[in-house]
């Protein structure tokens, strides 16, 4: 069984799976503008095993596993691995869908979501709710591992109402997942407060005692590549997973801090829109793109007015026209 997790030179750098964010379009864009060797792993959006197992729901849910041909070519060129992230709470369904994804798709690994803190997901006993159901969590990991030759990893948090890092890490390590990514917040925090990297460091100590060969990645409040490297050294993790940090800087995965000019930002705004239109035109809602436009339309004179216009756009053509008009108006002046 090939396990790429142990073959990547540390620090391992990954972009987190994010709802309505890490689709094939955005993954391709991030891979395009990342420095070779600075981004190792990309993940799909969260994919429900129950949805994949449903005769009607499957068509919509399986969109999360779509990989465009251009993305696949680029990832192979750059040596970036792509992992399907799945969630649910029934071991037998995990087994069935893990086997199906392995046989019918072309992913490098499977990751089990045991960290999503969203209340309606937790209420149904999935994702971070599994932290308080360790026996079931173990059964899910084992069932998934039995169904595939691909490495099966876990992304999780340090607890639900309070940190339970020692207990939970010990239970996870018993199942020997390919890797563990630990977000330094409890479920109750959602995305609030600060991530506790001392708890992540505790997890590394436990891993070192019980199974030193399993990589541990830290997640939470990382805003630059330099900070990623610093935290790997400071807290002993084998790598870092970046979530919301990518919204501060899509050029995150570059070893030297990149100061992007206005024209570069607008070029990527158009690039992202074109990728999304090509992949999802007529399938997904165009308005999904608007959450990204503030990433690109920021940090230069006139950015606020440009953002306002983009928020009022109703179509891809509107966006191309707005950017074209803005570029002509501003000319070649840089701010």
């Amino acid at each position: 069984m090939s396990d790429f997790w142990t073959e990547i030179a540390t620090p391992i750098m990954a972009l987190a799976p994010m709802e309505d964010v890490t689709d094939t379009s955005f993954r391709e864009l991030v891979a395009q503008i990342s420095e070779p060797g600075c981004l190792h792993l990309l993940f799909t959006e969260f994919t429900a095993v129950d949805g994949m197992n449903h005769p009607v729901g499957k068509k919509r849910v399986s969109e999360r596993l779509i990989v465009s041909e251009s993305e696949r070519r680029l990832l192979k060129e750059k040596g970036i691995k792509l992992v399907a992230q799945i969630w649910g709470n029934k071991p037998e369904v995990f087994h069935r869908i893990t086997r199906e994804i392995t046989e019918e798709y072309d992913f490098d690994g499977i990751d089990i979501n045991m960290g999503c803190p969203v209340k309606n997901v937790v209420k149904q006993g999935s994702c971070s709710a599994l932290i308080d159901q360790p026996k079931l969590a173990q059964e899910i990991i084992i069932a998934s591992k039995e169904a595939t030759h691909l490495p099966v990893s876990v992304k999780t948090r340090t607890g639900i109402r309070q940190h339970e890092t020692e207990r939970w890490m010990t239970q996870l390590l018993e199942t020997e997942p390919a890797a563990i990514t630990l977000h330094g917040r409890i479920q109750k925090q959602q995305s609030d407060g600060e991530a506790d990297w001392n708890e992540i460091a505790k997890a590394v100590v436990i891993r070192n005692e019980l199974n030193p060969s399993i990589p541990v990645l830290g997640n939470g409040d990382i805003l630059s590549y330099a900070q990623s490297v610093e935290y790997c050294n400071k807290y002993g993790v084998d790598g870092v997973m970046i979530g919301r940090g990518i919204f501060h800087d899509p050029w995150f995965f570059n070893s030297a801090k990149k100061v992007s000019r206005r024209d570069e930002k607008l070029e990527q705004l158009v690039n992202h829109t074109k990728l999304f239109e090509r992949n999802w035109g007529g399938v997904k809602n165009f308005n999904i793109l608007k959450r990204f436009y503030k990433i690109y339309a920021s940090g230069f004179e006139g950015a606020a007015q440009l953002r306002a216009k983009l928020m009022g756009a109703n179509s891809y053509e509107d966006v191309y026209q707005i950017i074209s008009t803005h570029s002509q108006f501003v000319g070649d002046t840089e701010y």
Side-chain angles (χ1 to χ4, degrees), residues 58-129:
K58 180 173 183 172
K59 184 173 185 295
R60 201 61 200 264
V61 173
S62 64
E63 287 174 4
R64 293 155 184 268
L65 299 177
I66 287 174
V67 183
S68 72
E69 287 180 22
S70 55
E71 184 198 1
R72 195 173 293 288
R73 277 197 307 273
L74 180 63
L75 299 190
K76 290 206 184 309
E77 277 170 28
K78 288 199 162 187
I80 298 168
K81 302 296 184 184
L82 182 56
V83 179
Q85 201 199 54
I86 55 178
W87 67 276
N89 60 15
K90 303 179 190 78
E92 67 278 10
V93 181
F94 267 92
H95 186 278
R96 189 175 306 133
I97 299 308
T98 298
R99 187 173 61 206
E100 182 180 318
I101 291 172
T102 303
E103 292 172 355
E104 297 184 17
Y105 293 82
D106 183 18
F107 288 103
D108 298 298
I110 305 285
D111 189 73
I112 301 173
N113 185 330
M114 295 189 178
C116 177
V118 175
K119 285 176 185 172
N120 63 346
V121 170
V122 173
K123 260 185 202 166
Q124 57 179 272
S126 298
C127 295
S128 60

Side-chain angles (χ1 to χ4, degrees), residues 201-230:
K202 272 188 205 173
V204 173
V205 171
I206 295 157
R207 184 279 312 266
N208 290 346
E209 289 171 0
L210 299 179
N211 196 330
S213 66
I214 296 175
V216 171
L217 276 68
N219 175 222
D221 303 342
I222 301 286
L223 296 178
S224 71
Y225 189 89
Q227 187 188 2
S228 302
V229 175
E230 178 197 337

